[in-house]
Each structure stands twice: as structure tokens, then as C-alpha cells.
């Protein structure tokens, strides 16, 4: 049974997302920082898959993740501004749709909760133009299709 | 250009700012039932009519409500499509993240199993 996700708008530009995981922060951290692990959970299926992933998990280090579907490719790049392994990531992210979006600041906290992890992600919402571009590329639609396919897998 | 005929929100940032205030959200909830005059809108609130007028101005500039002239009165109504577009965008993002993190559960379970094997 999947755990609930909370999704809350704070003020006019911030979004706070929380989620618990049945694994200690050290492992959740690895799943965010090791390309082979990240590719598994950020890839859906034939709609959008991560086809390239490079992560330099150091302060000032950069990352580059390429998502691709049959007819569309977009790239997410960023820089790690602050890293406190295994509890906190502060990163600045830019998407190429294919034009670069304004940078968004994302803070991710992994708090130990017994043997589990409580994650809190605080992000700055992309501006109106970027949001519209995301809708128009269908990239969110593609990911939604992955979700439906995942449900189908669980039923099988 | 007639803003009412445009489906895209003219300025989403202004819309988010307008929605960040609880009084303005309550006003929008009231207007969901239909068109209201300023005094009808102000009735349930314990704040001055100029304060209500200010909130209405913010909502109007954000493209969330529209007003028409009816003699001396300027009744307000919800702008068509605006809230729906904002909600649709957030709803899609929420579904995307839900899907990602549900898959992450499986990745973590797999890695936990590997760690358990190493211990044995």
C-alpha cells in the first residue's frame, strides 16, 4: 500500500511536499544521488524514461538528467548549493524544454523517524510561462500515463 | 482583448498571490454559488467594506473574478476557467510526484533486501 503524499501551497510561490519511506535516510539519500538507482524510480515506461543521468554529489557539483519519450526529450540540470549527507540537499534546478527555465531552488530534507525517513521537499514554483510550457510539451501527461501503467502492473 | 475569452490565466503568479489570503479564498468560495454584490460579499465578514473592496480588486487584477456595472452596483462573479487551470496544473504535478515516489518505495525495498543479504 503506497504511503500518502502531502502537497501544500505555501504563500504565492512555494510548494511543500512530504512523504515517508520505509528506509533510513542514508538509503533514501543514495536513491537520490546514485544514477543507477535514480534512473529506476524516475523512469516510468515507454512514455518517459531517464536515458542519461550524471550526478556529481559534492557541494558546487552539478547534475544532468535527460528524460525521453518516443517523441519528446527534456533535460533537467542543476547545481548542489549545500549538501549535508544524509539529511539535507539544497539545489538550484533548470529545465530545458528545450529553452532554459528560470532557476528553481529546491530544498530536500530527509529526517530519521525510527528506521524510516520523513522527507520534506520545499520548492519554488516555476513561473507562469514555464508552467504553461510544461503543460504544452505534455511531459506531465507522459508521466501520468506511467502512473496508470504502474497501477496496471500492480493489478497483474 | 477580452480577458474572459482567454482560457490561459493572464498571470499565474498574481493568481497564486491572490489565493494566498484566507479572506480572499473565502470570498471565492462564496462566489462559487453565484454572482454577488459587494455588500452581499461583505456580510459574513467582520471587516470594513473598503477592506473587502481591496480584496476584490486583488482578485480582479489576478483574473480570478470579473465585475460588471449594474446601475450603481458592481456585482462580482468567478472568472470562468481560471481556478480550474491552476488546479489542473497542480493536480498533474501531484500525480507525477506520487508516481515517482511510489516507484522509489520499490527501489528502496530492493536495496534494503540487498543490505539484509549482506548481513547474513
Amino acid at each position: 500500500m503506497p504511503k500518502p503524499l502531502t502537497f501544500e501551497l505555501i504563500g504565492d510561490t512555494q510548494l511543500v511536499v512530504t512523504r515517508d519511506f520505509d528506509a533510513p535516510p542514508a538509503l533514501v539519500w543514495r536513491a537520490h544521488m546514485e544514477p543507477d538507482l535514480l534512473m529506476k524510480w524516475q523512469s516510468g515506461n515507454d512514455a518517459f524514461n531517464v536515458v542519461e543521468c550524471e550526478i556529481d554529489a559534492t557541494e558546487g557539483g552539478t547534475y544532468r538528467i535527460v528524460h525521453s519519450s518516443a517523441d519528446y526529450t527534456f533535460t533537467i540540470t542543476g547545481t548542489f548549493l549545500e549538501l549535508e549527507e544524509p539529511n539535507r540537499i539544497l539545489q538550484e534546478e533548470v529545465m530545458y524544454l528545450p529553452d532554459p527555465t528560470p532557476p528553481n531552488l529546491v530544498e530536500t530534507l530527509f529526517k530519521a523517524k525510527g528506521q524510516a525517513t520523513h522527507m520534506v521537499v520545499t520548492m519554488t514554483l516555476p513561473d507562469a510561462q514555464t508552467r504553461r510550457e510544461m503543460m504544452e510539451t505534455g511531459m506531465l501527461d507522459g508521466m501520468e500515463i506511467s502512473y496508470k501503467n504502474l497501477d496496471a502492473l500492480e493489478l497483474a | 482583448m477580452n480577458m474572459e475569452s482567454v482560457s490561459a490565466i493572464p498571470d499565474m503568479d498574481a493568481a497564486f498571490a491572490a489565493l494566498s489570503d484566507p479572506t480572499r479564498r473565502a470570498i471565492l468560495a462564496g462566489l462559487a454559488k453565484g454572482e454577488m454584490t459587494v455588500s452581499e460579499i461583505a456580510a459574513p465578514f467582520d471587516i470594513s467594506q473598503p477592506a473587502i473592496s481591496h480584496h476584490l480588486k486583488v482578485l480582479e487584477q489576478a483574473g480570478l473574478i470579473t465585475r460588471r456595472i449594474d446601475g450603481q452596483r458592481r456585482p462580482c462573479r468567478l472568472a470562468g476557467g481560471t481556478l480550474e487551470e491552476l488546479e489542473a496544473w497542480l493536480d498533474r504535478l501531484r500525480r507525477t510526484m506520487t508516481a515517482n515516489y511510489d516507484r522509489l518505495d520499490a527501489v528502496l525495498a530492493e536495496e534494503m533486501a540487498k543490505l539484509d543479504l549482506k548481513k547474513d
Side-chain angles (χ1 to χ4, degrees), chain A residues 148-156:
Chain A
K148 285 178 186 149
N149 287 354
L150 186 74
D151 281 344
L153 278 179
E154 281 172 1
L155 289 173

Side-chain angles (χ1 to χ4, degrees), chain A residues 12 19 41 131-132 143, chain B residues 9 12 96 102-103 105:
Chain A
D12 54 350
R19 177 74 152 75
W41 64 271
R131 290 194 286 263
R132 211 160 293 139
M143 289 183 174
Chain B
I9 296 176
M12 277 214 192
T96 302
D102 288 352
R103 283 190 296 266
D105 280 340

Side-chain angles (χ1 to χ4, degrees), chain B residues 43-62:
Chain B
F45 297 100
D46 194 19
I47 54 178
S48 70
Q49 198 152 315
I52 289 289
S53 292
H54 169 73
H55 286 310
L56 294 176
K57 198 176 157 196
V58 172
L59 290 168
E60 189 179 16
Q61 284 172 350

Side-chain angles (χ1 to χ4, degrees), chain B residues 98-114:
Chain B
T98 300
N100 270 350
Y101 292 131
D102 288 352
R103 283 190 296 266
L104 177 53
D105 280 340
V107 171
L108 294 170
E110 220 172 88
E111 292 303 306
M112 289 287 274
K114 282 185 201 167

